[in-house]
Structures are given as structure tokens and as C-alpha cells.
Amino acid sequence: MAAILILYSSTDGQTKKICQRMQRIIEGRGHKAVVEPIADSAAIDLASFDKIVIGASIRYGKHNASVYRFIKDHQSLLESKANGFFSVNVVARKPAKRQPDTNPYVRRFLGQIAWQPQQLAVFAGRLDYQRYGVLDRAMIRAIMWLTKGPTDPQTDVEYTDWQAVDAFAVAIAEM
């Protein structure tokens, strides 16, 4: 049985939801999985885990700065353990952008960090205009208009491919 830490940075909650799903899959395979926000990582005994996975959402084309900081501060520890990373972004709703090597945010992210995750995935997130503040709603609608996505302010669509999430969780469990 492995102890697996799943850290996340979530803007609107979909990344956390994905992590919780992964936790259930991993625990169903006989391992211990702990899900925590990356912002709370200073209080966690990282060395006590056999595997570390990081999940991070995109907002306005970028992962949260705390993700970059954690990786920079803990790169040697990450490299000493089985590890993985996944990004959650709405551009992955498009079939041609669902793989790490075809998703522009993941490609840019990997080019900005020295750590190279052993397992890598990208999942489409959720688009829920009603949950956003006025500025975010306007900005995201403009981005969706440019990328031929839904712009109706009543839109609430979960694009996440849960089978892909389950497959990633199994891959992490089997590392």
C-alpha cells in the first residue's frame, strides 16, 4: 500500500472535485490517498508520502503562482518519488487539445519548470458563468467568443472526461 499525496490549486472547485474522484479511485485500489490544497503544503510532511501528484487549474492562461513556487521549492523531493501532474482547463474541451503535448497551457507550463512529471494529464474543466463575478464572467465570455465556445451567460457545462480522470488515477496507483 502506497501513501499518495494529491495537492491541488483550484480556482472554481473543479480541480478539487477531480482530485477527490482520483482519491476514491486510488483508495479503491488499496492505497492511502490524501487530498490537500497546495496552499497548505507547508504544514504537510511531504517526505512521508510515496507518491506526490499536483493538479492545477488555469485562469487567464496561467496556473497559479503557488504551483510554480511549490515545484521550485520541492523539485528534488518530487524527483525522488513517483510523481505526476495534471492541468485543468476549458481549452481541453476540444479533442485536439486534450493531450499534454497538444494542450498549449501544459506545453508552456512544462517549458517554464525544470521538473518533468513522470505521469502527465490534462482534463477539461467546467464552465459555469453564474458562479463567476462580473469581471471574470465578461473576460471568460470574451475568451469563449474568440475560441468559438459557449457565450450564453446561463451556460453551465462540465467538460471533464471522468473516464480519463479514472485512467490517470489508476496509472498513479500503479506507478
Side-chain angles (χ1 to χ4, degrees):
M1 176 177 95
I4 303 169
L5 176 62
I6 305 170
L7 295 172
Y8 69 89
S9 170
S10 188
T11 306
D12 298 310
Q14 190 69 10
T15 304
K16 180 180 179 180
K17 184 176 176 180
I18 290 168
C19 290
Q20 291 168 333
R21 170 78 169 244
M22 289 178 57
Q23 180 182 32
R24 288 190 300 275
I25 298 297
I26 289 168
E27 288 178 344
R29 298 184 80 79
H31 302 287
K32 175 185 174 188
V34 175
V35 174
E36 294 288 343
I38 203 163
D40 294 348
S41 63
I44 300 169
D45 179 10
L46 302 172
S48 69
F49 291 90
D50 303 304
K51 305 174 188 183
I52 299 176
V53 179
I54 301 170
S57 65
I58 289 286
R59 180 55 60 96
Y60 304 130
K62 296 180 182 178
H63 293 95
N64 188 286
S66 64
V67 175
Y68 293 94
R69 196 168 34 254
F70 178 86
I71 291 168
K72 182 179 180 221
D73 292 348
H74 301 285
Q75 182 175 339
S76 62
L77 177 73
L78 287 169
E79 290 172 346
S80 74
K81 298 179 177 292
N83 64 71
F85 174 82
F86 68 91
S87 178
V88 179
N89 55 78
V90 178
V91 77
R93 75 188 185 283
K94 297 179 178 185
K97 306 290 184 187
R98 288 186 188 148
Q99 299 301 316
D101 62 335
T102 62
N103 186 276
Y105 301 124
V106 173
R107 289 177 41 210
R108 185 177 320 126
F109 176 76
L110 292 174
Q112 294 172 334
I113 61 171
W115 172 54
Q116 295 303 303
Q118 295 166 349
Q119 293 288 333
L120 192 58
V122 59
F123 306 118
R126 178 177 177 187
L127 182 62
D128 183 1
Y129 287 119
Q130 295 300 305
R131 293 183 61 179
Y132 308 143
V134 174
L135 179 61
D136 281 339
R137 187 178 310 123
M139 293 291 291
I140 294 169
R141 284 182 72 206
I143 292 166
M144 286 293 118
W145 182 81
L146 289 170
T147 62
K148 312 253 187 290
T151 58
D152 181 333
Q154 301 303 312
T155 299
D156 180 359
V157 180
E158 185 176 72
Y159 292 105
T160 307
D161 178 346
W162 294 106
Q163 289 181 328
V165 171
D166 293 354
F168 184 70
V170 167
I172 294 297
E174 293 179 352
M175 290 177 75

